[in-house]
Amino acid sequence: MKRLLLLLLFAFLVAGYTDRSFSVDMQLKPDGSAHVVEKAYFVLDNKNEVEAFEFVLKQGKSTLADWQKFSRNIRYHFIGSVETKSLRIVAAREFGKGFTTASVTLEYNVFNVLLMNQTGSRTTHYSLNGDKLLLGSSPGDMTLGSNVVFTLFAPQNAIRLKVAPDAGATIEENTIKWIGPTSGRWDVSFDIEITLAQEVQEFFIGLFSLLSSSYLLWILLFFVLLVVGYKVFGLKR
């Protein structure tokens, strides 16, 4: 452990690791949450940095703090309800991109990134809660440097996907992409409309859930049995 600390400290003092590129993929979900994958590429500038990275790599189990020394991009880029239990960290040497290139990937879930509003019996309007984003100097602002890409994936059944202003972002089917360098604040929204069959199904599921959580179900069953019994015994007479 002492050797690890010395290696990291020495490498941190002699040079700063050079960030090469960074990407954030955000898959939005109908429940208002999102699945996030962040990948940071950086260059190990000297032998000490290579040894420090490989030492941590060989430890097997490592924390987010162990990797943050290698790149300023290795951190959560969302505020609030980040599910740390779902966090997965994958680190690797990226020889295909260069002998001294390495990467660290973070994969996690974040909640309440979408604001939801029921606009009809079968339609829900969603808007991205920009204040949850930490991609700039302040929450809500997006400042992407060179070789930085932010991709937002709306649900497959999303309709009327919009981004405003439309400058600086590209929309292709259910995907919005920002490629740096760019800076600004964007509004993102879309709708999800369920079918009539889904609406009926959800109604009965909700009704059963309501009844099963109270005495109403038992009263209803008793009433049905009483009617059936009356009919059966009434016919026998």
Side-chain angles (χ1 to χ4, degrees), residues 7-46:
L7 278 172
L8 292 175
L9 179 61
F10 183 72
F12 182 74
L13 291 174
V14 297
Y17 297 87
T18 304
D19 286 315
R20 179 170 176 173
S21 62
F22 179 61
S23 65
V24 179
D25 291 347
M26 186 177 183
Q27 177 66 62
L28 300 175
K29 299 182 179 181
D31 64 357
S33 66
H35 183 70
V36 180
V37 178
E38 303 183 5
K39 189 165 188 175
Y41 287 97
F42 47 92
V43 177
L44 305 171
D45 292 317
N46 54 56

Short mmCIF file of all heavy atoms in Angstrom, two decimals, residues 7-46:
data_model
loop_
_atom_site.label_atom_id
_atom_site.label_comp_id
_atom_site.label_asym_id
_atom_site.label_seq_id
_atom_site.Cartn_x
_atom_site.Cartn_y
_atom_site.Cartn_z
N LEU A 7 4.22 5.74 -5.45
CA LEU A 7 4.19 5.78 -6.91
C LEU A 7 3.23 6.85 -7.42
O LEU A 7 3.54 7.64 -8.31
CB LEU A 7 3.81 4.42 -7.48
CG LEU A 7 4.93 3.38 -7.62
CD1 LEU A 7 4.33 2.03 -8.01
CD2 LEU A 7 5.96 3.82 -8.66
N LEU A 8 2.01 6.85 -6.83
CA LEU A 8 1.02 7.82 -7.25
C LEU A 8 1.45 9.24 -6.93
O LEU A 8 1.27 10.16 -7.73
CB LEU A 8 -0.32 7.49 -6.60
CG LEU A 8 -1.01 6.20 -7.06
CD1 LEU A 8 -2.26 5.94 -6.22
CD2 LEU A 8 -1.36 6.27 -8.53
N LEU A 9 2.02 9.44 -5.74
CA LEU A 9 2.45 10.76 -5.33
C LEU A 9 3.58 11.26 -6.22
O LEU A 9 3.57 12.40 -6.69
CB LEU A 9 2.89 10.74 -3.87
CG LEU A 9 3.41 12.08 -3.30
CD1 LEU A 9 2.31 13.13 -3.37
CD2 LEU A 9 3.90 11.90 -1.87
N PHE A 10 4.53 10.39 -6.49
CA PHE A 10 5.67 10.79 -7.32
C PHE A 10 5.24 11.11 -8.75
O PHE A 10 5.64 12.11 -9.32
CB PHE A 10 6.72 9.67 -7.34
CG PHE A 10 7.96 10.04 -8.13
CD1 PHE A 10 8.87 10.97 -7.64
CD2 PHE A 10 8.20 9.47 -9.37
CE1 PHE A 10 9.99 11.31 -8.37
CE2 PHE A 10 9.31 9.82 -10.11
CZ PHE A 10 10.22 10.74 -9.61
N ALA A 11 4.40 10.23 -9.29
CA ALA A 11 3.92 10.46 -10.65
C ALA A 11 3.10 11.73 -10.75
O ALA A 11 3.15 12.46 -11.73
CB ALA A 11 3.10 9.26 -11.13
N PHE A 12 2.31 12.01 -9.70
CA PHE A 12 1.47 13.20 -9.69
C PHE A 12 2.31 14.47 -9.63
O PHE A 12 2.00 15.49 -10.23
CB PHE A 12 0.53 13.14 -8.50
CG PHE A 12 -0.42 14.31 -8.43
CD1 PHE A 12 -1.50 14.39 -9.30
CD2 PHE A 12 -0.23 15.32 -7.50
CE1 PHE A 12 -2.38 15.46 -9.24
CE2 PHE A 12 -1.10 16.39 -7.45
CZ PHE A 12 -2.18 16.46 -8.30
N LEU A 13 3.46 14.40 -8.93
CA LEU A 13 4.31 15.57 -8.77
C LEU A 13 5.16 15.84 -10.01
O LEU A 13 5.37 16.99 -10.40
CB LEU A 13 5.23 15.39 -7.54
CG LEU A 13 4.52 15.41 -6.18
CD1 LEU A 13 5.53 15.09 -5.07
CD2 LEU A 13 3.88 16.77 -5.93
N VAL A 14 5.65 14.76 -10.65
CA VAL A 14 6.57 14.97 -11.76
C VAL A 14 5.85 15.38 -13.04
O VAL A 14 6.44 16.01 -13.91
CB VAL A 14 7.41 13.70 -12.03
CG1 VAL A 14 8.28 13.38 -10.84
CG2 VAL A 14 6.53 12.52 -12.38
N ALA A 15 4.58 15.01 -13.17
CA ALA A 15 3.88 15.36 -14.41
C ALA A 15 2.39 15.20 -14.23
O ALA A 15 1.94 14.42 -13.42
CB ALA A 15 4.36 14.49 -15.56
N GLY A 16 1.65 15.96 -15.03
CA GLY A 16 0.21 15.78 -15.05
C GLY A 16 -0.15 14.87 -16.20
O GLY A 16 0.39 14.99 -17.29
N TYR A 17 -1.03 13.95 -15.95
CA TYR A 17 -1.44 13.05 -17.01
C TYR A 17 -2.17 13.85 -18.10
O TYR A 17 -2.97 14.73 -17.80
CB TYR A 17 -2.35 11.96 -16.45
CG TYR A 17 -1.64 11.09 -15.43
CD1 TYR A 17 -1.61 11.45 -14.08
CD2 TYR A 17 -1.00 9.93 -15.81
CE1 TYR A 17 -0.95 10.68 -13.16
CE2 TYR A 17 -0.34 9.14 -14.89
CZ TYR A 17 -0.31 9.51 -13.56
OH TYR A 17 0.35 8.75 -12.64
N THR A 18 -1.91 13.52 -19.34
CA THR A 18 -2.46 14.27 -20.46
C THR A 18 -3.77 13.64 -20.92
O THR A 18 -3.79 12.49 -21.37
CB THR A 18 -1.47 14.30 -21.65
OG1 THR A 18 -0.22 14.84 -21.20
CG2 THR A 18 -2.03 15.13 -22.78
N ASP A 19 -4.86 14.39 -20.79
CA ASP A 19 -6.15 13.90 -21.27
C ASP A 19 -6.16 13.91 -22.79
O ASP A 19 -5.74 14.87 -23.44
CB ASP A 19 -7.28 14.79 -20.75
CG ASP A 19 -7.56 14.55 -19.27
OD1 ASP A 19 -7.61 13.38 -18.86
OD2 ASP A 19 -7.70 15.55 -18.53
N ARG A 20 -6.66 12.80 -23.36
CA ARG A 20 -6.69 12.66 -24.82
C ARG A 20 -8.09 12.88 -25.37
O ARG A 20 -8.28 13.64 -26.31
CB ARG A 20 -6.18 11.28 -25.21
CG ARG A 20 -6.20 11.01 -26.71
CD ARG A 20 -5.46 9.74 -27.06
NE ARG A 20 -5.56 9.45 -28.48
CZ ARG A 20 -4.91 8.49 -29.10
NH1 ARG A 20 -4.09 7.71 -28.41
NH2 ARG A 20 -5.06 8.28 -30.40
N SER A 21 -9.08 12.21 -24.80
CA SER A 21 -10.48 12.40 -25.22
C SER A 21 -11.40 11.91 -24.11
O SER A 21 -10.98 11.21 -23.19
CB SER A 21 -10.78 11.64 -26.52
OG SER A 21 -10.61 10.24 -26.34
N PHE A 22 -12.67 12.29 -24.24
CA PHE A 22 -13.64 11.95 -23.20
C PHE A 22 -15.02 11.87 -23.83
O PHE A 22 -15.37 12.67 -24.70
CB PHE A 22 -13.62 13.01 -22.09
CG PHE A 22 -14.61 12.75 -20.99
CD1 PHE A 22 -14.55 11.61 -20.21
CD2 PHE A 22 -15.62 13.66 -20.73
CE1 PHE A 22 -15.46 11.37 -19.19
CE2 PHE A 22 -16.54 13.45 -19.72
CZ PHE A 22 -16.45 12.29 -18.95
N SER A 23 -15.80 10.85 -23.41
CA SER A 23 -17.16 10.71 -23.93
C SER A 23 -18.11 10.34 -22.81
O SER A 23 -17.75 9.64 -21.86
CB SER A 23 -17.21 9.63 -25.02
OG SER A 23 -16.90 8.35 -24.49
N VAL A 24 -19.34 10.84 -22.94
CA VAL A 24 -20.41 10.51 -21.99
C VAL A 24 -21.62 10.04 -22.80
O VAL A 24 -22.12 10.77 -23.67
CB VAL A 24 -20.83 11.73 -21.13
CG1 VAL A 24 -21.96 11.35 -20.19
CG2 VAL A 24 -19.64 12.26 -20.34
N ASP A 25 -22.07 8.82 -22.54
CA ASP A 25 -23.29 8.28 -23.15
C ASP A 25 -24.35 8.16 -22.08
O ASP A 25 -24.12 7.53 -21.04
CB ASP A 25 -23.03 6.90 -23.78
CG ASP A 25 -22.13 6.97 -25.00
OD1 ASP A 25 -21.92 8.09 -25.50
OD2 ASP A 25 -21.64 5.93 -25.44
N MET A 26 -25.51 8.74 -22.32
CA MET A 26 -26.58 8.79 -21.33
C MET A 26 -27.86 8.21 -21.92
O MET A 26 -28.46 8.79 -22.81
CB MET A 26 -26.80 10.24 -20.89
CG MET A 26 -27.78 10.42 -19.76
SD MET A 26 -27.88 12.17 -19.30
CE MET A 26 -29.02 12.09 -17.93
N GLN A 27 -28.26 7.04 -21.44
CA GLN A 27 -29.48 6.38 -21.91
C GLN A 27 -30.64 6.72 -20.98
O GLN A 27 -30.68 6.27 -19.84
CB GLN A 27 -29.27 4.86 -21.96
CG GLN A 27 -30.50 4.07 -22.38
CD GLN A 27 -30.91 4.33 -23.82
OE1 GLN A 27 -30.17 4.05 -24.74
NE2 GLN A 27 -32.12 4.85 -24.00
N LEU A 28 -31.58 7.53 -21.47
CA LEU A 28 -32.71 7.95 -20.66
C LEU A 28 -33.76 6.84 -20.58
O LEU A 28 -33.95 6.08 -21.53
CB LEU A 28 -33.34 9.21 -21.25
CG LEU A 28 -32.43 10.43 -21.36
CD1 LEU A 28 -33.14 11.56 -22.06
CD2 LEU A 28 -31.95 10.86 -19.98
N LYS A 29 -34.45 6.77 -19.44
CA LYS A 29 -35.47 5.73 -19.23
C LYS A 29 -36.81 6.38 -18.89
O LYS A 29 -36.86 7.47 -18.32
CB LYS A 29 -35.03 4.79 -18.10
CG LYS A 29 -33.73 4.06 -18.40
CD LYS A 29 -33.35 3.12 -17.29
CE LYS A 29 -32.06 2.38 -17.60
NZ LYS A 29 -31.68 1.43 -16.52
N PRO A 30 -37.93 5.69 -19.22
CA PRO A 30 -39.26 6.27 -18.98
C PRO A 30 -39.58 6.58 -17.52
O PRO A 30 -40.47 7.38 -17.25
CB PRO A 30 -40.21 5.18 -19.53
CG PRO A 30 -39.40 4.45 -20.53
CD PRO A 30 -38.00 4.43 -19.99
N ASP A 31 -38.86 5.96 -16.58
CA ASP A 31 -39.13 6.24 -15.16
C ASP A 31 -38.39 7.48 -14.66
O ASP A 31 -38.46 7.81 -13.47
CB ASP A 31 -38.77 5.02 -14.30
CG ASP A 31 -37.28 4.68 -14.35
OD1 ASP A 31 -36.53 5.35 -15.09
OD2 ASP A 31 -36.87 3.73 -13.65
N GLY A 32 -37.70 8.18 -15.56
CA GLY A 32 -37.02 9.42 -15.17
C GLY A 32 -35.56 9.24 -14.82
O GLY A 32 -34.85 10.21 -14.56
N SER A 33 -35.07 7.99 -14.81
CA SER A 33 -33.68 7.72 -14.50
C SER A 33 -32.86 7.61 -15.78
O SER A 33 -33.38 7.77 -16.88
CB SER A 33 -33.56 6.42 -13.69
OG SER A 33 -33.96 5.31 -14.47
N ALA A 34 -31.57 7.32 -15.63
CA ALA A 34 -30.71 7.18 -16.80
C ALA A 34 -29.54 6.26 -16.48
O ALA A 34 -29.10 6.17 -15.32
CB ALA A 34 -30.18 8.53 -17.26
N HIS A 35 -29.08 5.57 -17.50
CA HIS A 35 -27.88 4.75 -17.39
C HIS A 35 -26.75 5.50 -18.07
O HIS A 35 -26.88 5.91 -19.23
CB HIS A 35 -28.09 3.38 -18.04
CG HIS A 35 -26.93 2.46 -17.89
ND1 HIS A 35 -26.58 1.89 -16.68
CD2 HIS A 35 -26.00 2.02 -18.79
CE1 HIS A 35 -25.51 1.13 -16.84
NE2 HIS A 35 -25.14 1.20 -18.10
N VAL A 36 -25.66 5.70 -17.36
CA VAL A 36 -24.57 6.55 -17.84
C VAL A 36 -23.29 5.74 -18.01
O VAL A 36 -22.93 4.93 -17.15
CB VAL A 36 -24.31 7.71 -16.85
CG1 VAL A 36 -23.17 8.60 -17.36
CG2 VAL A 36 -25.58 8.54 -16.65
N VAL A 37 -22.62 5.96 -19.14
CA VAL A 37 -21.30 5.37 -19.39
C VAL A 37 -20.35 6.50 -19.75
O VAL A 37 -20.56 7.21 -20.74
CB VAL A 37 -21.34 4.33 -20.53
CG1 VAL A 37 -19.93 3.78 -20.77
CG2 VAL A 37 -22.30 3.19 -20.20
N GLU A 38 -19.32 6.69 -18.94
CA GLU A 38 -18.31 7.72 -19.19
C GLU A 38 -16.97 7.04 -19.46
O GLU A 38 -16.57 6.14 -18.73
CB GLU A 38 -18.17 8.65 -17.98
CG GLU A 38 -19.47 9.32 -17.55
CD GLU A 38 -19.24 10.28 -16.39
OE1 GLU A 38 -18.06 10.47 -16.01
OE2 GLU A 38 -20.23 10.83 -15.88
N LYS A 39 -16.29 7.48 -20.51
CA LYS A 39 -14.99 6.89 -20.83
C LYS A 39 -13.96 7.97 -21.06
O LYS A 39 -14.14 8.84 -21.93
CB LYS A 39 -15.09 5.98 -22.06
CG LYS A 39 -13.81 5.18 -22.30
CD LYS A 39 -14.03 4.04 -23.29
CE LYS A 39 -12.81 3.14 -23.38
NZ LYS A 39 -13.04 1.95 -24.25
N ALA A 40 -12.90 7.91 -20.28
CA ALA A 40 -11.82 8.89 -20.38
C ALA A 40 -10.57 8.22 -20.94
O ALA A 40 -10.11 7.21 -20.40
CB ALA A 40 -11.52 9.49 -19.01
N TYR A 41 -10.03 8.78 -22.02
CA TYR A 41 -8.75 8.36 -22.57
C TYR A 41 -7.69 9.37 -22.15
O TYR A 41 -7.92 10.58 -22.19
CB TYR A 41 -8.80 8.31 -24.10
CG TYR A 41 -9.59 7.16 -24.68
CD1 TYR A 41 -10.91 7.35 -25.07
CD2 TYR A 41 -9.01 5.91 -24.87
CE1 TYR A 41 -11.65 6.30 -25.62
CE2 TYR A 41 -9.74 4.86 -25.42
CZ TYR A 41 -11.05 5.07 -25.79
OH TYR A 41 -11.76 4.03 -26.33
N PHE A 42 -6.52 8.87 -21.76
CA PHE A 42 -5.43 9.76 -21.37
C PHE A 42 -4.10 9.11 -21.71
O PHE A 42 -4.02 7.90 -21.98
CB PHE A 42 -5.50 10.10 -19.87
CG PHE A 42 -5.71 8.91 -18.98
CD1 PHE A 42 -4.64 8.21 -18.44
CD2 PHE A 42 -7.00 8.48 -18.69
CE1 PHE A 42 -4.84 7.11 -17.64
CE2 PHE A 42 -7.20 7.37 -17.88
CZ PHE A 42 -6.12 6.68 -17.35
N VAL A 43 -3.05 9.93 -21.71
CA VAL A 43 -1.72 9.47 -22.09
C VAL A 43 -0.84 9.39 -20.84
O VAL A 43 -0.80 10.32 -20.03
CB VAL A 43 -1.08 10.42 -23.12
CG1 VAL A 43 0.34 9.98 -23.45
CG2 VAL A 43 -1.93 10.47 -24.38
N LEU A 44 -0.16 8.26 -20.70
CA LEU A 44 0.81 8.08 -19.63
C LEU A 44 2.14 8.62 -20.15
O LEU A 44 2.78 8.02 -21.00
CB LEU A 44 0.92 6.60 -19.27
CG LEU A 44 -0.41 5.92 -18.90
CD1 LEU A 44 -0.23 4.42 -18.76
CD2 LEU A 44 -0.97 6.51 -17.61
N ASP A 45 2.53 9.80 -19.65
CA ASP A 45 3.61 10.56 -20.29
C ASP A 45 5.01 10.05 -20.02
O ASP A 45 5.95 10.41 -20.73
CB ASP A 45 3.51 12.03 -19.87
CG ASP A 45 2.27 12.70 -20.44
OD1 ASP A 45 1.97 12.46 -21.62
OD2 ASP A 45 1.59 13.44 -19.70
N ASN A 46 5.18 9.25 -18.98
CA ASN A 46 6.53 8.77 -18.68
C ASN A 46 6.46 7.41 -17.97
O ASN A 46 5.36 6.89 -17.69
CB ASN A 46 7.30 9.78 -17.83
CG ASN A 46 6.54 10.15 -16.56
OD1 ASN A 46 6.18 9.28 -15.77
ND2 ASN A 46 6.30 11.45 -16.38
#
